Amino acid sequence: MNKNTKIVLTLLALGLVLSCKEYVEDDSMESNEVLYSIIDSEESNANAVSSSAAVVDKNSNRKFVRTADVKFKVKNVTKSTYAIEDATTKFGGFVTYTHLQSNIHSEDRTKVSQDSTLVTTKYKVDNNITIRVPNTKMDTVIKTIAKQIHFLDYRIIKANDVSLQMISNELVQKRSNSSEKRLENAIDSKGKKLNQVVKAEENLDAKKEQNDASKLQNLSLQDQVNFSTLTLNIYQDESIKQEMVANEKSINAYRPNIGLQIWDSIKTGWFMLEHIISFVVVLWPFVLIGLLGFFGYKKFLKK
């Protein structure tokens, strides 16, 4: 092998190595771009759904009732429903409502043979879910659910400050308690006449009802503060289902042959003849009376 041939072979080998290296680098860069695109998409969904209204400020004394209303498309409603329910339980929440259903848009039947028909059904699956989660975990749950989003229709997050309302209810309870005590003392010490006692008792009951209502309202608000409510409407693309079903036999397939029909007609005619003969036999007394009358009339008429 001469010197020039060695140089050429060396250059070819070097070029082959460099081209392979560039191909590997390009393929690696393309894979990284796809991976980064998926990660960016998930982060974008999480950022789009989340909001500062869902984050609890631990240093604030205010009390917020937080709610979220989100509608989005997923790849598979059933699988996403299970994922949402699992995430809710994982973070200490619970499901209060779920309505999973299939809505049929159209159904076509195509007869493919004498015995079979192809049924093509187009339908959409959706689910309305209501969950409640601890207010400190609302933002985390929303970001976890965002991983299921294929397309976001809308998201509404509210944080209603109920601090003053709860304070107002507490003040109402205090005033009501004070009025109850004064009424009880008045009834015990001054209530002498029956009508006065009855009226005072009615006023006392009204005060107690007002106190109970304020207490229950505060308990309800506190519960809404402690557990945020998320209403989710999820759906998927239209699906198509095809299945082969057996054709129902026509009633004509069960009709008897002509010979059997003729034989049935003969039997029917014979039965009718039997009924006629039976009917005539039943009338024999009238026939006998008629004959006797005829012969008697004829005999007396001759005389």
Side-chain angles (χ1 to χ4, degrees), residues 94 132 166 218-228:
F94 50 91
R132 300 195 65 195
M166 295 182 73
N218 251 16
L219 290 173
S220 176
L221 288 174
Q222 188 62 51
D223 178 67
Q224 295 176 56
V225 169
N226 294 338
F227 282 85
S228 301

Side-chain angles (χ1 to χ4, degrees), residues 16-287:
L16 182 62
V17 170
L18 290 175
S19 62
C20 290
K21 183 178 180 182
E22 289 177 358
Y23 176 78
V24 172
E25 288 179 351
D26 291 341
D27 187 54
S28 176
M29 290 177 64
E30 184 177 354
S31 300
N32 289 335
E33 288 176 358
V34 172
L35 179 61
Y36 291 149
S37 176
I38 294 173
I39 294 173
D40 290 342
S41 177
E42 291 182 354
E43 290 180 352
S44 176
N45 287 335
N47 293 331
V49 178
S50 183
S51 169
S52 59
V55 181
V56 176
D57 185 2
K58 296 181 180 179
N59 298 321
S60 176
N61 292 325
R62 292 183 175 276
K63 296 184 178 182
F64 291 92
V65 173
R66 291 179 169 84
T67 58
D69 188 4
V70 190
K71 181 179 181 180
F72 56 92
K73 182 171 73 174
V74 298
K75 293 181 178 179
N76 187 290
V77 169
T78 304
K79 291 181 179 179
S80 295
T81 297
Y82 292 147
I84 292 169
E85 291 176 350
D86 291 342
T88 302
T89 305
K90 178 181 177 181
F91 294 106
F94 50 91
V95 179
T96 60
Y97 178 79
T98 176
H99 184 194
L100 179 64
Q101 64 178 347
S102 296
N103 299 309
I104 297 177
H105 287 182
S106 64
E107 184 178 271
D108 298 326
R109 291 178 173 267
T110 306
K111 190 174 181 179
V112 296
S113 68
Q114 191 67 27
D115 300 325
S116 303
T117 296
L118 179 65
V119 180
T120 303
T121 305
K122 296 180 180 180
Y123 65 97
K124 272 190 174 183
V125 181
D126 61 70
N127 192 4
N128 292 320
I129 312 172
T130 302
I131 61 176
R132 300 195 65 195
V133 295
N135 62 340
T136 55
K137 299 293 184 180
M138 181 177 179
D139 186 56
T140 305
V141 172
I142 288 177
K143 289 180 178 178
T144 303
I145 292 174
K147 297 177 182 178
Q148 303 296 323
I149 296 177
H150 189 61
F151 176 80
L152 177 65
D153 290 71
Y154 62 81
R155 73 107 167 97
I156 303 171
I157 298 178
K158 297 179 181 179
N160 185 22
D161 189 356
V162 294
S163 305
L164 295 178
Q165 188 176 352
M166 295 182 73
I167 293 173
S168 175
N169 290 338
E170 290 174 357
L171 293 175
V172 170
Q173 290 180 48
K174 290 180 179 178
R175 291 195 300 270
S176 182
N177 286 331
S178 178
S179 298
E180 285 179 25
K181 291 179 181 179
R182 290 198 301 271
L183 278 173
E184 289 174 352
N185 293 332
I187 291 172
D188 294 337
S189 61
K190 299 179 181 180
K192 294 180 181 181
K193 294 183 180 180
L194 181 60
N195 58 349
Q196 293 177 347
V197 173
V198 171
K199 188 174 181 180
E201 290 284 357
E202 290 176 353
N203 292 334
L204 180 59
D205 290 339
K207 293 293 182 182
K208 288 182 177 180
E209 288 180 5
Q210 185 180 6
N211 190 7
D212 292 341
S214 299
K215 187 181 295 184
L216 290 173
Q217 188 177 10
N218 251 16
L219 290 173
S220 176
L221 288 174
Q222 188 62 51
D223 178 67
Q224 295 176 56
V225 169
N226 294 338
F227 282 85
S228 301
T229 302
L230 283 77
T231 303
L232 310 175
N233 185 350
I234 62 176
Y235 65 96
Q236 67 185 46
D237 286 330
E238 186 177 72
S239 301
I240 298 177
K241 180 183 178 182
Q242 291 182 321
E243 61 178 344
M244 199 74 70
V245 298
N247 289 336
E248 295 182 358
K249 288 187 177 181
S250 172
I251 191 172
N252 294 327
Y254 300 96
R255 293 180 60 189
N257 55 50
I258 184 65
L260 187 59
Q261 292 183 53
I262 293 173
W263 177 244
D264 287 340
S265 299
I266 293 173
K267 290 193 296 183
T268 303
W270 176 253
F271 293 149
M272 291 177 64
L273 180 60
E274 288 180 343
H275 286 302
I276 293 172
I277 295 172
S278 299
F279 179 75
V280 172
V281 172
V282 168
L283 298 176
W284 71 265
F286 300 99
V287 175

